[in-house]
Amino acid sequence: MSAYLLILAAVFSRIMPHSWLNFTAVGGGLLFFGGRRPLRQAWIPVLLMAATDYYLTTFAYGYSFHAQDYLLTWTWYAAVVILGHLMLRGRPSPARVGGAVLLASTSFFAISNYAVWIGSLLYPHTLSGLATCYAAALPFYRNDLLSTALVAGLAYGLPEAASRLAAQRSVRSAA
């Protein structure tokens, strides 16, 4: 249940007006969903994120929607759910959560900005243009890394902390 709620929070974190450069619950929500739900349900968060892309593009930004422009992003959504499944299924450790957060955020940064560089005229198609594209995206990367770490850290850390607190209280009351 909590994995579904976190995916809904990820959707709302994207559609609610905010000025935080890419500070959303998407990465953490996708990782958590992958770690908590069977892989056969991976289509659910991918479909919800794709629907959010459609809504944002057509209604919030007023652009025409072209599905081919989002195929790489939708593939990334699925890959992060799979990453969460592979790295965080069962009993995840802080190191595994941290590694998954780093992989998810860094892969999105690398892939999406390369796609911007190669698929648009915003930056010259030179090594210097690629470097400029990545440099311009660093604030977005930082905030995505922070938000993914915060969401995944809380999603995995709060239940663990509550479990330990409950175990300590039961030991104290038994004594």
Side-chain angles (χ1 to χ4, degrees), residues 69-147:
D69 294 342
Y70 291 90
L71 293 177
L72 186 64
T73 302
W74 297 341
T75 302
W76 180 82
Y77 295 152
V80 173
V81 173
I82 293 167
L83 175 68
H85 183 79
L86 293 174
M87 288 188 71
L88 305 174
R89 194 87 176 145
R91 191 168 169 88
S93 67
R96 285 180 169 265
V97 173
V101 164
L102 189 60
L103 279 169
S105 296
T106 303
S107 65
F108 186 74
F109 172 76
I111 292 167
S112 63
N113 288 293
Y114 181 79
V116 166
W117 175 72
I118 202 78
S120 74
L121 300 175
L122 291 173
Y123 302 97
H125 292 154
T126 63
L127 194 54
S128 175
L130 179 61
T132 303
C133 180
Y134 280 117
L138 284 173
F140 295 95
Y141 173 60
R142 178 198 62 222
N143 288 351
D144 181 51
L145 185 60
L146 290 172
S147 63

